[in-house]
Amino acid sequence: MTHWRAVSLIARWEFLRFFKLRELALSIVFVVGAFTLAGPILRLVVGDGAGAVRVAVDVAALRASDPLVDAATLLAESAEPLHPRFTFERAADDSLERVRDGSLDAVLRAAAGGGLELVAVDEAPGWTADLEALLGAIVVPLRLQAEGLAPERVAAALEDVTLAVRALDTGPYRGAGLIAVVVGALVFSVFTGAGVLFTVITGEKTQRVTEAIVSAVSPQAWIDGKILGTSLFVLAYLVSYAIGFAIAFFVYGALDGALPQLPALVTDPALGMVTVVFAALGFGLWFTIFAAVAATVSDPTTSSRGGFIMLPGAALSVGFLGLIGDTDGWLFRFFALFPLTSPSALPVRMLAGSVAAWEVLASLALLVAAVLLARRAAAKIFALGIHMTGKEPSAREMWRWLREGSSA
Amino acid sequence: MSGSRHQPTIVVEDVVKRYAAVTAVDRVSFAVERGEVFALLGPNGAGKSTLVRMLCGIIAPDEGRLRFDLGDGERQSADPLRTGYLPEDRGLYADAKVLPMIVYLAGLRGLERAEAERRARTWLERFDLAGREDERVDALSKGNQQKVQLIASLLHEPALAILDEPFSGFDPVNQDLVSRLIGELRDAGTTVLLSAHHMDLVEAIADRVLLMHRGREVLGGTLDAVRAASGVTRRVRVTLAEPATSEALAAARVGPTRAREGGRVHEVDLPEGRTVGSVLHALTARFEVVDVHSEAPSLRELYLRAVGVDPEAENGADGASARNGDGARPGRSTP
């Protein structure tokens, strides 16, 4: 059997062990449901701040010959509702008592130093600005008329200004939200994949499956198949979440009456492809390293090497720095070239601005070289580590295996 | 299967494997002929499994050489597509279903999926596991998991089957099933190398054996050759009408004996070339013999003698420790 035939068999087995179509479909439904319902639920929980407000106007206490009095009186006596939110009534003797017990929100009355004042339970009710705007809208024409302007002149002066809005074409969406989603998805995926690998490899040692496999195929074929199968599994879930987001995107847009801007990953095939290729290679690199580490773990419940599971996610989290720092700075440029961080940093640099083609190619070449190197090195450690039980090999031993070991 | 029966399939030359504190295999040499059942015997820690792992290419020897010839030219390692391996440490994916598990392991040995499924169903039926194809492996009993592992190791019909402790974990009924299976493999021309400490079971099926102790070979060859090399080919147990001392029997030229039951019963070990009749002739000249029973010494007994342990003592006070779980039963009686 050829090496790659064995790899494909192992990859298929590893993929199908964890890939469950029903769970995948459920996860898509979950993503669609969660993101579609998020808006309405948020409104339900937080509220839109537009609850009804009842205000009593103490007309008797207002001074005459003041447009404010007229405005306040108008509020209290108008037969038509002047504002969808506010309900006004004339103040009675028990109005303040009703404010205390909550059946009335406030009493509007003359302030001692002139003008109007609100008497309410809170110091700053959230609707104060709305009430001020309403009073202003009523009192300004009254004041202008009081200054002797003809009603037609007042109407002309107060004519609404209508703005015609024209959207500026800025291209597809490349903002901070997209960067956060891309880096977040990468970190989540590599963490998930590393967790799967750790469970699988230490489980194989515990369940003693290793001898049956290694007597049939080379350790290199086994680790290659594992990495491929696990990467495909993670990518499948990543794609499923992307599909879920896309459906939610359109459903939410349809419910809201307008579709938001399409993300650049969808509208720019080159950017989308670079992101996917770098993600796949990044998974390959980190999973290879992690498989070798997991193979040296004897007891997953006590081994300190379980902490390594955080490392791939931490390395790819450098992409988040793109949200707060300069992606054209020397440090971020280094991250975009360094193979352990470039799967996250390079797509972020492309999302945040333009990147020279040579830089993309150099980063890709370094990443591919790192994957090939890690593949050979990891297989040597894997070949020996997978048979070890009891004491875990030291760093010095692993270095010796790297120099002397054979994985073919 | 091509080639003659006496062509070696495996040649092991001066193989050494050392671990940090112990030499697990110490200059062991032997050859396994094509189509024979060859057994590595010895207690736990004898070095059998280490040797088997080297033969399967799982670990490399520190010294010495391994050669394989399955009829398609000599190789330095066993061709995994033509070799079946049942590991001592049984291992299956606990969460996998029975049929896919078998098909996967057979696939790694080069068997196509459809053919593997077809054969697997036949084997499962034979091993009384029909209808359990879709059950998870961890839903099966330990014995049934052993059967699944055995099926997976032989499904691709290998030319060489390496079975490490094939009887381990089976009840007597299934041990017999495995014995029959090994016999069928031999009849089909498959070379079988097995390691075991169930010496009584191996005795019935092995063409040749290699007895190992602490990493070294102790005795080797056909059972007859091993017995001849041990100096005891048969044992005669005579019952006399009257008690007599061992010295009296020695004087009658019977040879050294072990007296039992106050001198009424005596056991005589016969070296190669000496017959039961010659012993009887010597005895009847001076004593009245009321009963005679002869048998070949068991492998277990030969092994214990070879490693310097008195089988009689082992059978007495603490036989269990020396048996190492081999479930010994008396050697076959050949009156």
Side-chain angles (χ1 to χ4, degrees):
Chain A
M1 181 160 36
T2 65
H3 174 82
W4 291 108
R5 162 94 176 123
V7 169
S8 70
L9 273 173
I10 294 163
R12 183 177 185 277
W13 172 260
E14 299 288 349
F15 178 78
L16 291 177
R17 275 187 74 198
F18 298 98
F19 180 83
K20 310 288 180 211
L21 197 60
R22 191 165 150 267
E23 288 176 16
L24 191 73
L26 281 175
S27 73
I28 292 176
V29 170
F30 173 77
V31 169
V32 172
F35 281 88
T36 305
L37 295 175
I41 290 172
L42 202 62
R43 279 198 202 114
L44 200 66
V45 173
V46 178
D48 55 7
V53 179
R54 298 187 65 182
V55 179
V57 184
D58 190 354
V59 176
L62 296 173
R63 286 172 295 152
S65 70
D66 185 336
L68 267 177
V69 173
D70 296 334
T73 306
L74 192 65
L75 288 179
E77 295 179 350
S78 173
E80 298 294 322
L82 297 172
H83 191 283
R85 186 173 187 184
F86 292 99
T87 306
F88 297 98
E89 63 186 50
R90 275 179 174 274
D93 292 344
D94 65 344
S95 290
L96 288 176
E97 198 55 42
R98 287 176 58 205
V99 170
R100 284 192 188 91
D101 68 23
S103 60
L104 198 64
D105 291 291
V107 171
L108 180 66
R109 67 186 187 189
L116 299 171
E117 69 176 10
L118 267 178
V119 183
V121 173
D122 294 335
E123 280 187 12
W127 41 263
T128 308
D130 287 344
L131 182 58
E132 287 170 343
L134 178 61
L135 279 168
I138 296 169
V139 83
V140 168
L142 293 175
R143 281 175 178 163
L144 290 174
Q145 283 179 1
E147 293 295 325
L149 283 177
E152 308 81 56
R153 299 281 302 278
V154 172
L158 296 176
E159 189 181 353
D160 288 342
V161 176
T162 306
L163 292 174
V165 178
R166 186 184 300 279
L168 185 64
D169 185 9
T170 58
Y173 177 63
R174 311 170 79 96
L178 184 57
I179 290 175
V181 167
V182 168
V183 178
L186 283 172
V187 171
F188 173 76
S189 302
V190 83
F191 187 78
T192 304
V196 166
L197 271 175
F198 191 77
T199 308
V200 165
I201 292 172
T202 54
E204 278 163 347
K205 288 184 79 170
T206 308
Q207 294 176 31
R208 301 181 179 278
V209 185
T210 51
E211 283 199 6
I213 310 281
V214 171
S215 66
V217 299
S218 69
Q220 183 74 68
W222 197 13
I223 195 171
D224 284 348
K226 272 187 183 307
I227 303 308
L228 191 59
T230 308
S231 298
L232 287 174
F233 162 74
V234 168
L235 282 174
Y237 270 81
L238 209 50
V239 168
S240 79
Y241 284 123
I243 292 171
F245 276 120
I247 295 172
F249 179 83
F250 285 105
V251 171
Y252 192 77
L255 291 177
D256 230 30
L259 291 178
Q261 232 174 337
L262 283 170
L265 285 177
V266 177
T267 59
D268 184 346
L271 177 62
M273 199 167 72
V274 166
T275 304
V276 170
V277 167
F278 270 71
L281 288 170
F283 293 155
L285 177 62
W286 273 111
F287 292 164
T288 303
I289 294 169
F290 200 77
V293 172
T296 66
V297 171
S298 288
D299 182 355
T301 57
T302 58
S303 175
S304 59
R305 286 179 187 165
F308 271 82
I309 204 166
M310 305 303 292
L311 199 59
L316 295 185
S317 292
V318 298
F320 285 124
L321 295 177
L323 296 172
I324 53 171
D326 177 14
T327 56
D328 286 327
W330 69 267
L331 184 61
F332 211 87
R333 281 175 185 271
F334 169 75
F335 285 147
L337 285 170
F338 187 53
L340 295 178
T341 51
S342 63
S344 156
L346 189 87
V348 166
R349 260 179 62 66
M350 292 179 74
L351 280 168
S354 61
V355 178
W358 71 263
E359 197 179 331
V360 177
L361 292 174
S363 181
L364 184 65
L366 286 170
L367 186 54
V368 169
V371 169
L372 294 177
L373 193 67
R375 175 178 168 265
R376 295 304 300 268
K380 288 180 180 178
I381 293 177
F382 185 80
L384 293 162
I386 199 74
H387 296 302
M388 286 188 80
T389 52
K391 178 180 163 287
E392 291 181 350
S394 64
R396 179 179 291 184
E397 279 176 296
M398 286 192 276
W399 175 243
R400 186 164 53 82
W401 294 352
L402 283 178
R403 285 185 290 118
E404 301 170 4
S406 165
S407 57
Chain B
M1 185 113 203
S2 60
S4 73
R5 169 85 184 232
H6 296 292
Q7 239 176 321
T9 291
I10 304 173
V11 176
V12 177
E13 294 174 323
D14 279 332
V15 165
V16 177
K17 183 67 189 177
R18 298 184 192 90
Y19 292 113
V22 66
T23 301
V25 175
D26 192 1
R27 303 223 169 274
V28 171
S29 299
F30 63 88
V32 180
E33 291 174 4
R34 189 160 302 160
E36 74 170 339
V37 175
F38 187 94
L40 296 171
L41 296 171
N44 298 334
K48 308 184 302 290
S49 290
T50 302
L51 198 46
V52 163
R53 287 189 181 106
M54 287 190 280
L55 291 170
C56 291
I58 296 168
I59 52 175
D62 294 325
E63 290 178 36
R65 204 155 74 115
L66 302 171
R67 288 185 285 133
F68 298 83
D69 185 353
L70 299 177
D72 54 356
E74 192 172 299
R75 299 165 56 109
Q76 301 295 310
S77 59
D79 177 0
L81 303 187
R82 303 191 64 204
T83 304
Y85 173 49
L86 177 73
E88 180 191 21
D89 288 336
R90 309 290 194 261
L92 298 167
Y93 292 99
D95 58 343
K97 290 182 178 173
V98 170
L99 187 64
M101 180 79 259
I102 295 172
V103 170
Y104 171 59
L105 291 176
L108 295 179
R109 300 278 181 184
L111 197 59
E112 291 298 326
R113 184 184 312 280
E115 180 61 13
E117 277 195 26
R118 191 188 64 75
R119 289 188 197 176
R121 289 182 193 282
T122 307
W123 277 74
L124 286 169
E125 194 167 341
R126 179 178 179 187
F127 277 88
D128 209 19
L129 287 170
R132 308 191 71 174
E133 295 86 349
D134 292 328
E135 284 189 29
R136 278 169 56 117
V137 166
D138 57 5
L140 302 182
S141 67
K142 192 181 169 194
N144 283 338
Q145 289 184 28
Q146 300 269 60
K147 291 178 184 176
V148 170
Q149 186 108 43
L150 186 61
I151 292 169
S153 63
L154 298 174
L155 200 68
H156 61 297
E157 296 177 355
L160 169 63
I162 299 177
L163 311 175
D164 199 352
E165 302 288 357
F167 306 106
S168 175
F170 283 122
D171 58 37
V173 172
N174 283 304
Q175 284 180 345
D176 282 346
L177 181 64
V178 174
S179 290
R180 285 201 303 276
L181 176 65
I182 292 171
E184 288 170 20
L185 289 173
R186 173 176 48 198
D187 294 344
T190 307
T191 305
V192 180
L193 182 143
L194 60 90
S195 91
H197 56 255
H198 293 79
M199 297 191 189
D200 54 323
L201 292 167
V202 171
E203 197 173 350
I205 55 171
D207 295 310
R208 291 192 304 136
V209 297
L210 181 77
L211 298 174
M212 294 181 68
H213 182 60
R214 293 181 182 167
R216 295 186 176 180
E217 50 189 288
V218 178
L219 285 172
T222 62
L223 290 179
D224 287 343
V226 168
R227 287 189 181 109
S230 74
V232 182
T233 55
R234 291 198 73 74
R235 177 183 304 117
V236 182
R237 185 183 174 97
V238 293
T239 305
L240 305 177
E242 297 294 332
T245 61
S246 292
E247 291 75 17
L249 266 71
R253 298 192 176 182
V254 174
T257 68
R258 291 182 296 279
R260 303 265 187 275
E261 299 179 22
R264 279 196 68 226
V265 176
H266 289 262
E267 282 182 1
V268 187
D269 292 336
L270 303 185
E272 192 173 20
R274 191 164 185 208
T275 63
V276 178
S278 68
V279 173
L280 282 177
H281 182 74
L283 274 171
T284 52
R286 294 199 186 184
F287 305 98
E288 186 179 350
V289 177
V290 294
D291 189 31
V292 180
H293 174 79
S294 82
E295 63 184 14
S298 69
L299 258 179
R300 174 176 169 270
E301 190 181 330
L302 294 174
Y303 176 81
L304 289 173
R305 286 186 191 283
V307 299
V309 177
D310 180 6
E312 301 300 322
E314 287 300 314
N315 282 335
D318 191 19
S321 63
R323 277 198 293 274
N324 280 312
D326 72 354
R329 59 189 183 197
R332 284 168 292 178
S333 177
T334 50

